[in-house]
């Protein structure tokens, strides 16, 4: 009898609905980069919907150079222990063993991230093989649909991490959201050629046309440093924001984190935005994307 | 009672989380919806949905920006006037007790919940649920409901005045206490509208039952005679 009951329940983990569902619960929220448990607790107390564990924040990766990898598993485990909100962690592009390790550690989502040094210059991780969801970066609709085709359950703009310059996040959000709008009015006979041009799976192109949106949640990331930056991207139509170096490289991380959380909820209310933006202390030291050399941008990693 | 359903205006708490999915679900059933971010918006709604999201984030917002919104929801919920449906995190917010946590709650429903009861995301799951409350009207509604549990809480204790409508692993996953209704799973991320229909037809309509007792009793009899 108990066996029969169990069978009729048909319990399944790692289904598409379960993987895509987690990011749906994070919408309208802020996901913050942290390098240790202490920062994770500050982020949680400030109202982050999730934290992203990585070895060094992007601004330090830029400044220090060298190969950037998955965090020390002991640090990841300590972060998982320290907070009740979901924990994400970054693995290198194509490094499916780092991803396997992160899944074992009990993280809730993996970011296959261009912020770390790519482990494979040809192939991304087959994300459909994992039980937990993946988030990936994209600069345009074709790249987003390739990652979703590989099993990504959440997308984010690449932006240009570690700069505090929001211009690339804006560019990528406009590219993706604009392409989706244009696709909705594209005649059906043009879809296959369009899919070929942008290098995207045809079935996903068709689905985006029908639904007028990506089949997964789409956040902004890469260069968001102020409450106004977060609200800008939210008004443009993203589902939420990632903030990397912008918080823990600023003068008052806790206060800035809280302000960005409030700005992400009340993104359409300039009075509240003005109020929460007051007296936040020094923002992170910025680095304009235009000042970067052709090989210094992180967004060009991945394809 | 489709004519009543069409006129309903359902508020969805929109501070953070999957509020758009709930709006789409009630609109597909013919109701109207409104995103709630300020207490003034609560005045004209016929029911409120508290969606899934992160309770620590909402906790923070509720204390620092939306405090009066919360006390107003508590007041309306406690008076029995406002039907409220909490999904996942919404269950945590409606509960009187949260195991091991001292965070903001509306303190309305006689249940004790445990956050992240099933573990991290890799333990999140979907399971078929047998729910007679949503299956009684027509035979085509009798198939199991696809319950999607995402880092879900569990209801570890419910007082006798709480009606348990579905269970999983021996614990309640869908429950009701008069105008308060909760599911620890997420019907809004599926295409199955039966849970939202239950909320609109059974919970929101019983609000009107308090106000217009005789009329609603008659309608109730009509609807049960069909089943």
């Amino acid at each position: 009898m108990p066996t029969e009951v169990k069978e009729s329940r048909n319990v399944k983990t790692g289904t598409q609905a379960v993987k895509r569902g987690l990011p749906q619960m994070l919408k309208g929220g802020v996901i913050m980069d942290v390098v240790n448990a202490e920062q994770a607790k500050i982020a949680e107390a400030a109202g982050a919907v999730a934290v992203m564990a990585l070895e060094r924040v992007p601004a330090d990766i830029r400044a220090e150079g060298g190969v950037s990898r998955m965090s020390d598993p002991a640090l990841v485990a300590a972060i998982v222990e320290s907070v009740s909100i979901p924990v994400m962690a970054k693995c290198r592009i194509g490094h499916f063993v780092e991803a396997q390790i992160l899944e074992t550690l009990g993280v809730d989502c993996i970011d296959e991230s261009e912020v770390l040094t790519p482990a494979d210059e040809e192939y991304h991780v087959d994300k459909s093989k994992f039980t937990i969801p993946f988030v990936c970066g994209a600069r345009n609709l074709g790249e987003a649909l390739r990652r979703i085709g590989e099993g990504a359950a959440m997308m984010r703009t690449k932006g240009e991490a570690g700069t505090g310059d929001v211009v690339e996040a804006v560019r990528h959000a406009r590219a993706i959201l604009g392409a989706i709008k244009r696709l909705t009015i594209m005649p059906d006979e043009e879809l296959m050629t369009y899919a070929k041009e942008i290098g995207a799976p045809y079935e996903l192109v068709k689905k985006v046309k029908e639904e007028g949106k990506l089949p997964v949640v789409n956040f902004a990331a890469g260069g968001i440093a102020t409450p106004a930056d977060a609200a800008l991207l939210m008004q443009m139509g993203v589902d939420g924001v990632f903030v990397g170096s912008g918080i823990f490289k600023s003068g008052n991380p806790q206060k800035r984190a809280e302000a960005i959380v409030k700005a992400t909820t009340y993104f359409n209310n300039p009075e509240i935005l003005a109020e929460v933006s007051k007296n936040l202390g020094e923002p992170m030291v910025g680095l304009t994307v235009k000042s970067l050399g052709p090989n210094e941008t992180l967004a060009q990693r991945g394809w | 009672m489709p004519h009543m359903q069409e006129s309903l205006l359902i508020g969805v708490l929109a501070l953070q989380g999957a509020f758009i999915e709930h709006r789409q679900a009630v609109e597909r059933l013919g109701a109207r919806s409104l995103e709630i971010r300020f207490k003034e918006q609560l005045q004209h709604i016929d029911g409120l949905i508290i969606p899934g999201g992160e309770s620590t984030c909402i906790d923070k917002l509720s204390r620092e920006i939306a405090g009066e919104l919360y006390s107003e929801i508590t007041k309306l919920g406690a008076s029995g006037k406002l039907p409220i449906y909490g999904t996942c995190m919404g269950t945590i917010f409606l509960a009187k007790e949260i195991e091991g946590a001292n965070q903001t709650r509306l303190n309305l429903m006689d249940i004790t919940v445990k956050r992240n009861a099933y573990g991290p995301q890799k333990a999140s799951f979907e399971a078929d649920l047998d729910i007679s409350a949503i299956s009684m009207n027509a035979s085509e509604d009798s198939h199991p409901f696809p319950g999607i549990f995402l880092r879900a809480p569990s209801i570890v204790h419910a007082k006798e005045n709480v009606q348990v409508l579905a269970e999983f692993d021996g614990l309640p996953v869908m429950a009701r206490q008069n105008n308060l209704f909760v599911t620890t799973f997420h019907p809004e991320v599926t295409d199955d509208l039966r849970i939202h229909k239950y909320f609109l037809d059974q919970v929101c309509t019983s609000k009107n039952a308090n106000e217009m007792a005789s009329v609603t009793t008659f309608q109730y009899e009509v609807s049960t005679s069909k089943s």
Side-chain angles (χ1 to χ4, degrees):
Chain A
M1 186 65 188
T3 320
E4 274 175 28
V5 170
K6 191 141 197 170
E7 276 170 16
S8 74
R9 282 178 189 154
N10 203 9
V11 180
K12 287 177 283 195
T13 58
T15 61
Q16 189 178 76
V18 169
K19 285 158 79 168
R20 289 181 178 179
L22 176 80
Q24 284 178 277
M25 300 309 135
L26 306 180
K27 289 195 297 180
V30 184
I31 300 170
M32 304 181 191
D33 275 3
V34 298
V35 298
N36 55 41
E38 185 194 342
Q39 288 185 353
K41 283 183 186 160
I42 293 172
E44 180 179 49
V49 290
V51 290
M52 173 71 71
L54 74 173
E55 191 184 38
R56 295 172 285 170
V57 295
D60 287 339
I61 292 172
R62 265 183 202 292
E64 295 161 13
V67 176
S68 200
R69 311 178 180 90
M70 170 186 82
S71 283
D72 182 330
L75 276 173
V76 176
I79 291 168
V80 169
E81 271 306 300
S82 70
V83 293
S84 67
I85 54 178
V87 175
M88 304 184 169
K90 287 187 193 288
C91 77
R92 285 178 268 177
I93 289 175
H95 207 315
F96 51 83
V97 173
E98 283 188 349
Q100 291 162 3
I101 292 169
L102 290 172
E103 181 167 69
T104 296
L105 291 171
V107 307
D108 298 292
C109 180
I110 296 171
D111 184 358
E112 185 184 19
S113 178
E114 70 284 359
V115 168
L116 307 186
T117 312
D120 192 324
E121 295 198 326
E122 238 175 309
Y123 305 110
H124 283 70
V125 172
D126 177 3
K127 294 164 273 289
S128 63
K129 287 211 176 82
F130 289 77
T131 304
I132 61 173
F134 275 71
V135 55
C136 287
R139 289 159 296 182
N140 52 53
L141 183 59
E143 193 173 14
L145 296 182
R146 289 193 290 280
R147 296 294 85 77
I148 295 166
E150 292 161 353
M154 176 181 189
M155 292 306 304
R156 55 172 174 76
T157 62
K158 282 184 169 173
E160 193 52 42
T163 61
D165 187 348
V166 79
V167 68
E168 292 300 299
V170 167
R171 191 191 315 282
H172 299 160
R174 283 205 185 277
I176 292 167
L177 298 166
I180 292 170
K181 285 204 186 83
R182 288 189 291 278
L183 183 53
T184 58
I185 55 164
M186 193 176 284
D188 286 343
E189 65 272 20
E190 295 182 14
L191 297 185
M192 183 60 84
T193 301
Y194 183 67
K196 181 188 168 206
E197 278 167 6
I198 66 170
Y202 173 69
E203 292 302 325
L204 286 175
V205 169
K206 248 177 34 175
K207 194 171 168 62
V208 171
K209 178 186 165 167
E210 281 159 19
E211 297 184 356
K213 61 181 190 63
L214 290 179
V216 303
V217 164
N218 181 33
F219 272 45
I224 294 160
T226 68
D229 288 349
L232 173 69
L233 272 307
M234 290 297 291
Q235 285 197 27
M236 287 173 62
V238 301
D239 296 318
V241 298
F242 284 86
V243 185
S245 321
I247 288 171
F248 288 101
K249 284 288 159 188
S250 74
N252 189 339
Q254 171 132 15
K255 196 167 179 192
R256 184 165 293 266
E258 290 173 1
I260 295 175
V261 167
K262 290 168 188 165
T264 304
T265 290
Y266 292 93
F267 65 90
N268 256 334
N269 188 309
E271 288 88 8
I272 291 179
L273 294 176
E275 199 50 45
V276 303
S277 299
K278 286 176 184 164
N279 302 314
L280 295 182
E282 283 297 303
M284 70 177 282
V285 178
L287 182 68
T288 63
V289 172
K290 281 201 165 160
S291 70
L292 299 174
N295 292 321
E296 290 178 314
T297 64
L298 302 175
Q300 64 178 340
R301 295 170 170 177
W303 35 94
Chain B
M1 289 169 278
H3 61 286
M4 296 204 63
Q5 201 170 297
E6 278 161 27
S7 68
L8 292 174
L9 176 63
I10 303 299
V12 185
L13 189 68
L15 299 178
Q16 189 273 317
F19 48 86
I20 293 165
E21 289 82 347
H22 278 294
R23 290 191 63 188
Q24 289 165 344
V26 298
E27 286 179 5
R28 281 170 64 196
L29 288 165
R32 293 168 297 141
S33 74
L34 178 68
E35 291 181 9
I36 304 287
R37 293 189 178 85
F38 300 97
K39 81 167 180 178
E40 293 72 20
Q41 296 170 310
L42 293 170
Q43 280 176 359
H44 304 292
I45 58 172
D46 301 302
L48 176 71
I49 297 178
I50 304 178
E54 282 305 317
S55 62
T56 51
C57 169
I58 307 276
D59 176 40
K60 177 84 184 168
L61 291 165
S62 68
R63 277 183 281 122
E64 296 183 10
I65 289 195
E68 291 182 18
L69 172 62
Y70 278 75
S71 51
E72 190 68 14
I73 295 173
T74 301
K75 203 172 84 188
L76 291 168
S79 73
K81 283 183 186 156
L82 182 66
I84 307 177
Y85 168 27
T87 311
C88 192
M89 179 201 74
T91 306
I92 298 170
F93 263 80
L94 285 170
K96 285 195 173 163
E97 299 290 335
I98 306 171
E99 245 186 37
N102 188 26
Q103 59 193 68
T104 304
R105 71 202 71 167
L106 300 169
N107 203 23
L108 287 169
M109 201 165 166
D110 290 312
I111 53 174
T112 303
V113 298
K114 182 182 177 190
R115 290 184 61 199
N116 299 344
Y118 302 91
Q121 174 64 14
K122 68 179 166 189
S124 291
F125 61 96
E126 55 180 275
D128 291 340
L129 302 173
D130 291 318
I131 308 176
S132 59
I134 60 167
S135 305
M136 60 205 277
N137 290 327
S139 57
E140 68 262 29
D141 285 345
S142 63
H143 56 278
F145 192 88
I148 298 191
F149 294 82
L150 304 169
R151 300 176 85 252
S154 66
I155 298 171
V156 291
H157 182 71
K159 286 196 181 163
E160 281 163 14
N161 52 337
V162 176
Q163 184 187 3
V164 174
L165 297 167
E167 288 188 346
F168 178 80
D169 265 357
L171 290 176
V173 294
M174 173 166 159
R176 178 175 176 184
Q177 180 181 342
N178 304 318
N179 59 317
L180 310 171
F181 171 58
V182 294
T183 62
T184 61
F185 53 94
H186 292 275
E188 79 283 7
V189 302
T190 72
D191 289 329
D192 197 321
L193 295 170
R194 285 178 292 164
I195 302 284
H196 288 88
K197 189 167 166 26
Y198 174 86
F199 177 61
L200 297 180
D201 286 356
Q202 306 293 324
V203 188
C204 292
T205 313
S206 55
K207 182 199 99 163
N208 297 342
N210 297 335
E211 291 167 0
M212 315 179 288
S214 59
V215 176
T216 323
T217 306
F218 171 71
Q219 284 172 337
Y220 177 74
E221 281 166 5
V222 170
S223 72
T224 47
S225 69
K226 281 185 206 159
S227 62

